[in-house]
Amino acid sequence: MTFIKVTEQPSHYRHLEQMTVREALTRINEEDQTVPGAVAKAIPEITALTSAIADKMLAGGRLFYVGAGTSGRLGILDASECPPTFGVPPGLVVGLIAGGDNAIRRAVEKAEDDLDQGWLDLQQHQVSDKDVVVGIAASGTTPYVIGALRACREQGIITGSICCNPGAPLSAEADFPVEVVVGPEFVTGSTRMKSGTAQKLVLNMISTTVMIQLGRVEDNRMVNMQLSNDKLVDRGVRMVMEQLQLTDYEAAKALLLEFGSVKKAVESRK
């Protein structure tokens, strides 16, 4: 039986080149508004995957994202934002993309078609059964991602997947598959659009919820964020001021000269 990719079905719209700028923007926006609803339908599956990740990471494991093209870039984006946002080590959440770092900015020909390279890339990071590996592929058919998850399962490593086609081959390789079916794209087959948006939403949900479970958020604040620029320093000072009822000067001194993080500054005065 032939696998039918919903993500490759013809757009609901014809003759896009004849649309006015406003009409094109309006139609794209209308399509985008359907994405959160599709994500909501997948919350039970996202819950199962997120819980499995949190359990492994609480026991000292890591989270790996494996993808190609837009999907790979989204995984790298999510992984790269965890250290500054939550103050975790850079190697705790790792994003891998077919074709390596060069593929982050430009396509690397045929890289996603290599069934073995995903596992080889994971081995460079000494992946083990302490970790969780999540494959990301809008189509759910990318060999680089499928091969990586298949090898992981053979090694007893927990796997998850995020794709946008129902019954995708990738889902069959995952212990915790997530399928967010957003339908045909505005531009036929351009999965950087709705599919990419869906994947970004799911990744936000997973990493943020996992970090909350790891104790990297208190109340609704990023108390472990890295103070890496003026905006974040100002945010941190305001948090310390509010928590400890200090003046701007006192909060800045405690944060920058004494403790180096909102969490440590607040805990020191409690």
Side-chain angles (χ1 to χ4, degrees):
M1 181 177 176
T2 303
F3 174 62
I4 298 175
K5 300 179 185 178
V6 176
T7 54
E8 295 293 329
Q9 294 302 298
S11 170
H12 297 309
Y13 305 90
R14 298 291 306 278
H15 306 300
L16 308 186
E17 74 282 1
Q18 296 178 15
M19 292 183 178
T20 65
V21 170
R22 185 179 181 87
E23 184 180 4
L25 294 174
T26 299
R27 298 294 174 258
I28 292 171
N29 177 250
E30 288 173 351
E31 287 295 303
D32 286 345
Q33 289 180 49
T34 68
V35 175
V39 172
K41 292 179 181 178
I43 284 180
E45 291 72 31
I46 300 170
T47 300
L49 174 56
T50 304
S51 298
I53 294 170
D55 287 346
K56 281 291 186 180
M57 295 184 79
L58 283 166
R62 297 167 295 170
L63 169 60
F64 288 88
Y65 295 131
V66 180
T70 297
S71 299
R73 295 182 190 102
L74 288 170
I76 289 172
L77 173 62
D78 195 73
S80 67
E81 289 180 340
C82 287
T85 305
F86 302 108
V88 297
L92 190 66
V93 183
V94 180
L96 300 178
I97 185 171
D101 288 349
N102 289 336
I104 297 173
R105 289 179 175 82
R106 60 180 64 187
V108 176
E109 188 174 358
K110 298 291 185 180
E112 71 174 52
D113 296 328
D114 192 326
L115 193 64
D116 300 318
Q117 190 59 49
W119 173 242
L120 295 175
D121 289 347
L122 284 165
Q123 287 182 294
Q124 294 297 312
H125 295 268
Q126 291 77 51
V127 67
S128 75
D129 59 7
K130 295 180 180 179
D131 306 316
V132 179
V133 177
V134 177
I136 314 169
S139 67
T141 60
T142 307
Y144 175 85
V145 184
I146 288 176
L149 293 200
R150 185 174 296 162
C152 284
R153 294 185 83 183
E154 290 172 355
Q155 298 298 320
I157 299 169
I158 287 179
T159 58
S161 65
I162 304 170
C163 75
C164 296
N165 279 313
L170 178 63
S171 299
E173 302 294 343
D175 298 308
F176 297 95
V178 174
E179 295 178 343
V180 183
V181 184
V182 296
E185 299 287 357
F186 179 73
V187 175
T188 300
S190 182
T191 52
R192 72 183 185 89
M193 301 187 76
K194 288 192 298 182
S195 296
T197 299
Q199 291 172 325
K200 175 65 170 131
L201 291 176
V202 173
L203 291 169
N204 282 349
M205 294 164 71
I206 291 172
S207 58
T208 301
T209 303
V210 167
M211 290 300 158
I212 293 171
Q213 296 299 305
L214 294 180
R216 310 306 294 185
V217 174
E218 292 184 7
D219 190 9
N220 56 12
R221 303 300 180 92
M222 298 180 289
V223 294
N224 291 285
M225 65 184 178
Q226 293 178 358
L227 305 175
S228 55
N229 58 48
D230 290 344
K231 178 189 73 174
L232 296 179
V233 169
D234 180 65
R235 183 184 298 163
V237 169
R238 284 186 280 110
M239 287 184 195
V240 174
M241 288 175 64
E242 293 171 6
Q243 290 286 320
L244 301 180
Q245 301 300 305
L246 299 178
T247 65
D248 183 287
Y249 173 79
E250 292 170 334
K253 180 181 177 183
L255 182 63
L256 301 176
L257 300 181
E258 297 179 38
F259 300 103
S261 79
V262 173
K263 184 178 181 68
K264 290 179 180 178
V266 171
E267 288 181 346
S268 71
R269 305 295 179 93
K270 286 185 176 179

